[in-house]
Amino acid sequence: MTLRLYDTRAQQLRDFVPLDPENVTMYVCGPTVQSGPHIGHVRAALSFDLLRRWLTHRYGRVTFVRNVTDIDDKVLANATDAEPWWALAYRMEQEFTAAYAGIGILSPTYEPRATASVPQMQELIATLIERGHAYPAPDGSGDVYFDVRSWSEYGSLTNQSIDAMEAAEDADPRGKRNPQDFALWKGAKPDEQADATWQSPWGAGRPGWHIECSAMSKRYLGPEFDIHGGGLDLRFPHHENELAQSTAAGDGFARYWVHNGLVTVGGQKMSKSLGNFTLARDVLAERDPQVVRYALAAAHYRSSLDLSESSWTEAEAALGRIRTFVERAERVLPRTFGWAEATELPEAFATAMDDDLGIPQALGVVHDTVRAGNAALDAGDDDSAASARHEVLAMLDVLGLDRVGMASGGDAQASALDALMQTMITQRAQARADKDWAAADRIRDAIAAAGITLEDSPAGTHWSIDG
């Protein structure tokens, strides 16, 4: 089956055909590092991590670029005398990196900072001025604007007419020809940090937000690349402006536009400006990172995800069922089944992933395989059980769910629970050896009351959590 992706610009599913089948190219808008990440930022990064992993499975190589916006109005506004803007940006960048790594998001092929590509931004601005699509403000401010009415395709990403758009609020409007014109270069201001400026043909200043991604994507991927990704909230004005300035400069730019849905709280977008956000570090401090990854991946990437306590509970139970099967299979089956051998993915799993990255359906295949594997173990069908185990682990690898943590849950609490259970199992075994059946039954009943099942076999007694 051909991989199909929903192209936001075309507003339909399209067969994915890369420019180079041996090297898929992706650019994803990364964080503006004025403060630490909330869980919505992590969900966005995870969406493209999952897409990248599937593209790697299908094509073998993916060049994945995710930028860091380390110079911006918000970064400058949050800086203090004790922590300059560049120090704040670096500290917050580290927080994003830690949150991404915490749930197994792969590092980008390249992760450029905006401040390292200012010459390329100036070169792009000069091209736009030369082509008649940008102009320096006549007020001597040093600002440079993109002339939206000079580019007939402006608005094509979001299907808007210029007259219906609100005015761009990224610079003082006094030097603009049209209210919708947006800033490519921002002239230095007396109240801003002196070290947050660069010299340019138009005067000292710094780049506008939108020009940064156009310049960095071209620098690292070339004038045309396969996929541009980002959150749904970036479609306008950020991605609309990127598309306009890059194509007006003569570049092919992105061939597919892919946007992830937002995390919501009570139906409202999670946002720092609204104050309804949950910091990623707080979530990861309280929960198994693999449970967090599962919960954030369980909804389709284009849908809104309304997180609640039940989201984590359901993810923990679902992941627990997978872990219990893998542990049981590895305990029961003989080692002659070759645990490390490669396994083809189930056709239903691949079909789901090829259909616009259908993670919910793909997870359904994982759980169907787990149920079949458990049934095979119950029936003593070792061949079928081993096959199910191989398939489950192959699917987990594609989804980035760590097989290392399958048995223990991967955290200190799980290790402590296992130690406690082994003590109770030993006490029960001793009671049975002493023919103290009442004591043995009391121990088993206490374990069952905690929602834990004991399984006696010739290889010994093992425990698992019901669910």
Side-chain angles (χ1 to χ4, degrees):
M1 180 177 176
T2 301
L3 170 62
R4 299 190 305 162
L5 293 174
Y6 186 85
D7 184 341
T8 309
R9 186 181 186 187
Q11 296 188 325
Q12 63 181 3
L13 287 168
R14 293 177 58 203
D15 289 351
F16 178 68
V17 182
L19 281 166
D20 178 0
E22 296 184 359
N23 181 24
V24 177
T25 48
M26 289 180 66
Y27 183 91
V28 174
C29 283
T32 300
V33 285
Q34 82 271 18
S35 57
H38 60 60
I39 203 66
H41 293 123
V42 178
R43 193 258 177 134
L46 176 60
S47 297
F48 294 102
D49 181 67
L50 291 164
L51 177 56
R52 176 194 186 179
R53 288 171 183 269
W54 185 242
L55 289 168
T56 301
H57 173 80
R58 295 276 267 123
Y59 294 96
R61 179 184 176 192
V62 176
T63 300
F64 183 90
V65 180
R66 185 184 65 218
N67 76 294
V68 175
T69 298
D70 60 341
I71 182 70
D72 180 82
D73 292 348
K74 296 174 183 177
V75 175
L76 297 182
N78 286 359
T80 64
D81 291 340
E83 186 175 41
W85 65 271
W86 47 267
L88 169 68
Y90 181 71
R91 181 168 63 86
M92 292 300 105
E93 178 186 336
Q94 294 299 97
E95 287 200 18
F96 274 88
T97 299
Y100 295 157
I103 65 165
I105 293 173
L106 299 172
S107 299
T109 312
Y110 307 110
E111 192 169 22
R113 297 176 185 142
T115 52
S117 293
V118 173
Q120 288 76 17
M121 298 171 200
Q122 293 182 355
E123 181 180 346
L124 182 54
I125 294 169
T127 298
L128 289 168
I129 293 174
E130 181 182 348
R131 284 172 165 253
H133 299 300
Y135 59 93
D139 59 6
S141 62
D143 294 341
V144 180
Y145 295 101
F146 183 87
D147 185 351
V148 296
R149 293 192 182 276
S150 74
W151 188 242
S152 61
E153 296 181 23
Y154 187 71
S156 63
L157 180 64
T158 51
N159 294 297
Q160 297 184 80
S161 68
I162 293 175
D163 293 331
M165 296 177 185
E166 295 181 359
E169 298 180 351
D170 56 352
D172 194 317
R174 63 186 180 184
K176 294 184 180 184
R177 294 175 183 171
N178 307 290
Q180 294 82 9
D181 292 352
F182 58 89
L184 302 174
W185 187 259
K186 297 185 175 185
K189 297 177 177 59
D191 60 340
E192 292 182 345
Q193 295 89 327
D195 59 354
T197 61
W198 289 258
Q199 294 302 314
S200 82
W202 317 285
R206 56 187 171 85
W209 176 31
H210 314 300
I211 199 68
E212 295 178 350
C213 287
S214 285
M216 285 185 284
S217 62
K218 183 175 183 177
R219 182 180 184 184
Y220 288 90
L221 296 176
E224 186 174 16
F225 53 93
D226 291 317
I227 297 171
H228 195 314
L232 197 61
D233 55 336
L234 296 180
R235 285 192 315 146
F236 187 87
H238 186 47
H239 288 169
E240 188 74 74
N241 293 350
E242 280 186 62
L243 175 61
Q245 63 203 7
S246 290
T247 50
D251 297 334
F253 206 49
R255 301 174 69 244
Y256 296 82
W257 289 85
V258 178
H259 291 92
N260 65 277
L262 306 178
V263 172
T264 58
V265 180
Q268 191 174 39
K269 170 192 169 184
M270 182 177 286
S271 168
K272 292 178 180 177
S273 62
L274 296 175
N276 63 346
F277 60 91
T278 303
L279 289 175
R281 65 170 178 263
D282 293 338
V283 174
L284 290 170
E286 297 173 359
R287 294 177 171 84
D288 178 347
Q290 290 288 292
V291 169
V292 176
R293 183 179 180 96
Y294 189 104
L296 296 178
H300 191 271
Y301 79 91
R302 285 196 290 118
S303 67
S304 296
L305 176 61
D306 202 273
L307 286 174
S308 64
E309 191 61 36
S310 65
S311 304
W312 311 118
T313 302
E314 292 167 7
E316 185 174 21
L319 196 58
R321 289 190 289 272
I322 300 171
R323 287 170 165 167
T324 298
F325 164 67
V326 173
E327 180 191 35
R328 185 184 178 204
E330 295 185 350
R331 184 177 69 244
V332 172
L333 296 175
R335 294 293 169 180
T336 55
F337 283 102
W339 294 133
E341 70 182 48
T343 300
E344 289 292 322
L345 293 168
E347 183 178 350
F349 180 90
T351 297
M353 296 294 285
D354 277 339
D355 187 13
D356 195 30
L357 206 68
I359 300 293
Q361 294 76 18
L363 286 171
V365 178
V366 174
H367 287 285
D368 287 344
T369 308
V370 165
R371 282 189 286 271
N374 278 320
L377 288 172
D378 292 340
D381 183 353
D382 288 355
D383 288 332
S384 296
S387 177
R389 176 198 172 278
H390 291 329
E391 290 182 347
V392 167
L393 291 182
M395 291 185 282
L396 294 178
D397 282 345
V398 169
L399 297 173
L401 290 168
D402 186 6
R403 65 166 67 188
V404 174
M406 285 294 107
S408 69
D411 56 24
Q413 289 182 345
S415 297
L417 177 59
D418 183 64
L420 178 62
M421 286 305 306
Q422 295 305 328
T423 298
M424 296 185 73
I425 288 171
T426 300
Q427 291 174 348
R428 175 173 170 266
Q430 185 61 52
R432 295 174 73 182
D434 295 341
K435 299 185 187 298
D436 188 352
W437 308 117
D441 288 346
R442 280 197 303 272
I443 295 171
R444 187 178 187 104
D445 290 346
I447 292 172
I452 296 171
T453 299
L454 295 182
E455 180 182 2
D456 295 316
S457 73
T461 300
H462 304 279
W463 66 273
S464 61
I465 298 176
D466 295 343

mmCIF file of all heavy atoms in Angstrom, residues 114-140:
data_model
loop_
_atom_site.group_PDB
_atom_site.id
_atom_site.type_symbol
_atom_site.label_atom_id
_atom_site.label_comp_id
_atom_site.label_asym_id
_atom_site.label_seq_id
_atom_site.Cartn_x
_atom_site.Cartn_y
_atom_site.Cartn_z
ATOM 1 N N ALA A 114 18.322 29.636 15.398
ATOM 2 C CA ALA A 114 18.094 30.763 14.498
ATOM 3 C C ALA A 114 19.281 31.717 14.484
ATOM 4 O O ALA A 114 19.659 32.248 13.431
ATOM 5 C CB ALA A 114 16.819 31.503 14.899
ATOM 6 N N THR A 115 19.893 31.944 15.625
ATOM 7 C CA THR A 115 20.986 32.911 15.701
ATOM 8 C C THR A 115 22.207 32.496 14.882
ATOM 9 O O THR A 115 23.084 33.327 14.620
ATOM 10 C CB THR A 115 21.407 33.131 17.160
ATOM 11 O OG1 THR A 115 21.662 31.862 17.780
ATOM 12 C CG2 THR A 115 20.322 33.861 17.937
ATOM 13 N N ALA A 116 22.279 31.228 14.482
ATOM 14 C CA ALA A 116 23.430 30.748 13.701
ATOM 15 C C ALA A 116 23.213 30.890 12.197
ATOM 16 O O ALA A 116 24.119 30.566 11.423
ATOM 17 C CB ALA A 116 23.721 29.291 14.042
ATOM 18 N N SER A 117 22.051 31.371 11.774
ATOM 19 C CA SER A 117 21.749 31.463 10.340
ATOM 20 C C SER A 117 21.323 32.869 9.923
ATOM 21 O O SER A 117 20.633 33.032 8.914
ATOM 22 C CB SER A 117 20.652 30.451 9.977
ATOM 23 O OG SER A 117 21.107 29.125 10.115
ATOM 24 N N VAL A 118 21.732 33.883 10.682
ATOM 25 C CA VAL A 118 21.342 35.256 10.347
ATOM 26 C C VAL A 118 21.862 35.685 8.969
ATOM 27 O O VAL A 118 21.120 36.327 8.203
ATOM 28 C CB VAL A 118 21.796 36.232 11.447
ATOM 29 C CG1 VAL A 118 21.541 37.686 11.037
ATOM 30 C CG2 VAL A 118 21.063 35.921 12.758
ATOM 31 N N PRO A 119 23.091 35.348 8.559
ATOM 32 C CA PRO A 119 23.532 35.727 7.211
ATOM 33 C C PRO A 119 22.634 35.152 6.111
ATOM 34 O O PRO A 119 22.353 35.835 5.114
ATOM 35 C CB PRO A 119 24.946 35.160 7.124
ATOM 36 C CG PRO A 119 25.416 35.106 8.540
ATOM 37 C CD PRO A 119 24.206 34.746 9.328
ATOM 38 N N GLN A 120 22.183 33.923 6.282
ATOM 39 C CA GLN A 120 21.293 33.313 5.292
ATOM 40 C C GLN A 120 19.934 34.020 5.268
ATOM 41 O O GLN A 120 19.312 34.154 4.206
ATOM 42 C CB GLN A 120 21.106 31.827 5.602
ATOM 43 C CG GLN A 120 22.318 30.957 5.320
ATOM 44 C CD GLN A 120 23.417 31.091 6.374
ATOM 45 O OE1 GLN A 120 23.192 31.588 7.480
ATOM 46 N NE2 GLN A 120 24.619 30.650 6.026
ATOM 47 N N MET A 121 19.475 34.483 6.418
ATOM 48 C CA MET A 121 18.219 35.240 6.476
ATOM 49 C C MET A 121 18.359 36.566 5.742
ATOM 50 O O MET A 121 17.469 36.966 4.978
ATOM 51 C CB MET A 121 17.817 35.461 7.933
ATOM 52 C CG MET A 121 17.546 34.185 8.707
ATOM 53 S SD MET A 121 17.341 34.514 10.480
ATOM 54 C CE MET A 121 17.645 32.875 11.155
ATOM 55 N N GLN A 122 19.477 37.246 5.951
ATOM 56 C CA GLN A 122 19.693 38.520 5.269
ATOM 57 C C GLN A 122 19.785 38.319 3.750
ATOM 58 O O GLN A 122 19.283 39.137 2.981
ATOM 59 C CB GLN A 122 20.962 39.182 5.800
ATOM 60 C CG GLN A 122 20.856 39.638 7.248
ATOM 61 C CD GLN A 122 22.103 40.328 7.746
ATOM 62 O OE1 GLN A 122 23.114 40.402 7.044
ATOM 63 N NE2 GLN A 122 22.055 40.856 8.964
ATOM 64 N N GLU A 123 20.409 37.243 3.341
ATOM 65 C CA GLU A 123 20.512 36.946 1.911
ATOM 66 C C GLU A 123 19.128 36.730 1.307
ATOM 67 O O GLU A 123 18.821 37.221 0.204
ATOM 68 C CB GLU A 123 21.379 35.703 1.709
ATOM 69 C CG GLU A 123 21.572 35.305 0.258
ATOM 70 C CD GLU A 123 22.430 34.057 0.108
ATOM 71 O OE1 GLU A 123 23.094 33.661 1.090
ATOM 72 O OE2 GLU A 123 22.423 33.474 -0.985
ATOM 73 N N LEU A 124 18.260 36.030 2.013
ATOM 74 C CA LEU A 124 16.905 35.785 1.533
ATOM 75 C C LEU A 124 16.113 37.087 1.475
ATOM 76 O O LEU A 124 15.360 37.341 0.515
ATOM 77 C CB LEU A 124 16.212 34.762 2.438
ATOM 78 C CG LEU A 124 14.790 34.334 2.067
ATOM 79 C CD1 LEU A 124 14.708 33.834 0.629
ATOM 80 C CD2 LEU A 124 14.292 33.262 3.045
ATOM 81 N N ILE A 125 16.261 37.936 2.473
ATOM 82 C CA ILE A 125 15.574 39.234 2.482
ATOM 83 C C ILE A 125 16.024 40.081 1.296
ATOM 84 O O ILE A 125 15.205 40.709 0.603
ATOM 85 C CB ILE A 125 15.829 39.972 3.810
ATOM 86 C CG1 ILE A 125 15.184 39.206 4.972
ATOM 87 C CG2 ILE A 125 15.279 41.398 3.753
ATOM 88 C CD1 ILE A 125 15.602 39.723 6.342
ATOM 89 N N ALA A 126 17.324 40.085 1.039
ATOM 90 C CA ALA A 126 17.836 40.861 -0.103
ATOM 91 C C ALA A 126 17.255 40.357 -1.414
ATOM 92 O O ALA A 126 16.926 41.166 -2.310
ATOM 93 C CB ALA A 126 19.365 40.777 -0.120
ATOM 94 N N THR A 127 17.104 39.060 -1.562
ATOM 95 C CA THR A 127 16.496 38.493 -2.766
ATOM 96 C C THR A 127 15.057 38.960 -2.922
ATOM 97 O O THR A 127 14.613 39.312 -4.031
ATOM 98 C CB THR A 127 16.557 36.958 -2.714
ATOM 99 O OG1 THR A 127 17.914 36.532 -2.672
ATOM 100 C CG2 THR A 127 15.877 36.340 -3.927
ATOM 101 N N LEU A 128 14.319 38.973 -1.823
ATOM 102 C CA LEU A 128 12.918 39.400 -1.879
ATOM 103 C C LEU A 128 12.805 40.882 -2.239
ATOM 104 O O LEU A 128 11.903 41.274 -2.997
ATOM 105 C CB LEU A 128 12.237 39.116 -0.539
ATOM 106 C CG LEU A 128 11.985 37.628 -0.235
ATOM 107 C CD1 LEU A 128 11.581 37.430 1.218
ATOM 108 C CD2 LEU A 128 10.908 37.066 -1.172
ATOM 109 N N ILE A 129 13.698 41.701 -1.721
ATOM 110 C CA ILE A 129 13.693 43.129 -2.084
ATOM 111 C C ILE A 129 13.996 43.282 -3.569
ATOM 112 O O ILE A 129 13.330 44.034 -4.294
ATOM 113 C CB ILE A 129 14.710 43.900 -1.227
ATOM 114 C CG1 ILE A 129 14.274 43.917 0.253
ATOM 115 C CG2 ILE A 129 14.869 45.332 -1.745
ATOM 116 C CD1 ILE A 129 15.303 44.526 1.187
ATOM 117 N N GLU A 130 14.999 42.554 -4.044
ATOM 118 C CA GLU A 130 15.394 42.630 -5.448
ATOM 119 C C GLU A 130 14.260 42.198 -6.372
ATOM 120 O O GLU A 130 14.074 42.767 -7.456
ATOM 121 C CB GLU A 130 16.627 41.747 -5.677
ATOM 122 C CG GLU A 130 17.154 41.758 -7.097
ATOM 123 C CD GLU A 130 18.341 40.834 -7.270
ATOM 124 O OE1 GLU A 130 18.887 40.357 -6.257
ATOM 125 O OE2 GLU A 130 18.715 40.569 -8.431
ATOM 126 N N ARG A 131 13.487 41.216 -5.952
ATOM 127 C CA ARG A 131 12.383 40.714 -6.775
ATOM 128 C C ARG A 131 11.110 41.543 -6.630
ATOM 129 O O ARG A 131 10.099 41.254 -7.263
ATOM 130 C CB ARG A 131 12.075 39.261 -6.396
ATOM 131 C CG ARG A 131 13.095 38.257 -6.935
ATOM 132 C CD ARG A 131 12.835 36.872 -6.363
ATOM 133 N NE ARG A 131 13.568 35.869 -7.139
ATOM 134 C CZ ARG A 131 13.024 34.994 -7.992
ATOM 135 N NH1 ARG A 131 11.705 35.007 -8.173
ATOM 136 N NH2 ARG A 131 13.753 34.132 -8.655
ATOM 137 N N GLY A 132 11.127 42.544 -5.789
ATOM 138 C CA GLY A 132 9.969 43.414 -5.635
ATOM 139 C C GLY A 132 8.918 42.918 -4.670
ATOM 140 O O GLY A 132 7.777 43.403 -4.690
ATOM 141 N N HIS A 133 9.285 41.975 -3.800
ATOM 142 C CA HIS A 133 8.313 41.417 -2.851
ATOM 143 C C HIS A 133 8.560 41.858 -1.405
ATOM 144 O O HIS A 133 7.850 41.428 -0.493
ATOM 145 C CB HIS A 133 8.319 39.886 -2.926
ATOM 146 C CG HIS A 133 7.949 39.349 -4.269
ATOM 147 N ND1 HIS A 133 6.729 39.602 -4.860
ATOM 148 C CD2 HIS A 133 8.654 38.600 -5.160
ATOM 149 C CE1 HIS A 133 6.691 39.017 -6.045
ATOM 150 N NE2 HIS A 133 7.838 38.408 -6.259
ATOM 151 N N ALA A 134 9.534 42.714 -1.197
ATOM 152 C CA ALA A 134 9.816 43.227 0.141
ATOM 153 C C ALA A 134 10.367 44.638 0.017
ATOM 154 O O ALA A 134 10.854 45.041 -1.040
ATOM 155 C CB ALA A 134 10.808 42.319 0.864
ATOM 156 N N TYR A 135 10.280 45.411 1.088
ATOM 157 C CA TYR A 135 10.719 46.810 1.054
ATOM 158 C C TYR A 135 11.173 47.260 2.439
ATOM 159 O O TYR A 135 10.598 46.865 3.459
ATOM 160 C CB TYR A 135 9.580 47.704 0.573
ATOM 161 C CG TYR A 135 8.336 47.632 1.449
ATOM 162 C CD1 TYR A 135 8.130 48.529 2.508
ATOM 163 C CD2 TYR A 135 7.358 46.666 1.225
ATOM 164 C CE1 TYR A 135 7.003 48.456 3.311
ATOM 165 C CE2 TYR A 135 6.220 46.584 2.013
ATOM 166 C CZ TYR A 135 6.055 47.486 3.058
ATOM 167 O OH TYR A 135 4.934 47.398 3.861
ATOM 168 N N PRO A 136 12.226 48.059 2.489
ATOM 169 C CA PRO A 136 12.609 48.684 3.756
ATOM 170 C C PRO A 136 11.584 49.761 4.120
ATOM 171 O O PRO A 136 11.081 50.483 3.251
ATOM 172 C CB PRO A 136 13.985 49.299 3.467
ATOM 173 C CG PRO A 136 14.440 48.659 2.185
ATOM 174 C CD PRO A 136 13.194 48.343 1.423
ATOM 175 N N ALA A 137 11.286 49.849 5.400
ATOM 176 C CA ALA A 137 10.330 50.870 5.846
ATOM 177 C C ALA A 137 10.902 52.260 5.562
ATOM 178 O O ALA A 137 12.088 52.520 5.794
ATOM 179 C CB ALA A 137 10.044 50.708 7.327
ATOM 180 N N PRO A 138 10.058 53.177 5.076
ATOM 181 C CA PRO A 138 10.554 54.521 4.735
ATOM 182 C C PRO A 138 10.764 55.430 5.937
ATOM 183 O O PRO A 138 11.193 56.569 5.768
ATOM 184 C CB PRO A 138 9.441 55.054 3.830
ATOM 185 C CG PRO A 138 8.207 54.357 4.290
ATOM 186 C CD PRO A 138 8.642 52.994 4.710
ATOM 187 N N ASP A 139 10.463 54.944 7.143
ATOM 188 C CA ASP A 139 10.537 55.796 8.328
ATOM 189 C C ASP A 139 11.906 55.783 8.997
ATOM 190 O O ASP A 139 12.087 56.372 10.068
ATOM 191 C CB ASP A 139 9.463 55.383 9.339
ATOM 192 C CG ASP A 139 9.590 53.929 9.777
ATOM 193 O OD1 ASP A 139 10.571 53.267 9.389
ATOM 194 O OD2 ASP A 139 8.699 53.448 10.521
ATOM 195 N N GLY A 140 12.873 55.075 8.401
ATOM 196 C CA GLY A 140 14.211 55.031 8.987
ATOM 197 C C GLY A 140 14.346 54.113 10.180
ATOM 198 O O GLY A 140 15.371 54.129 10.866
#
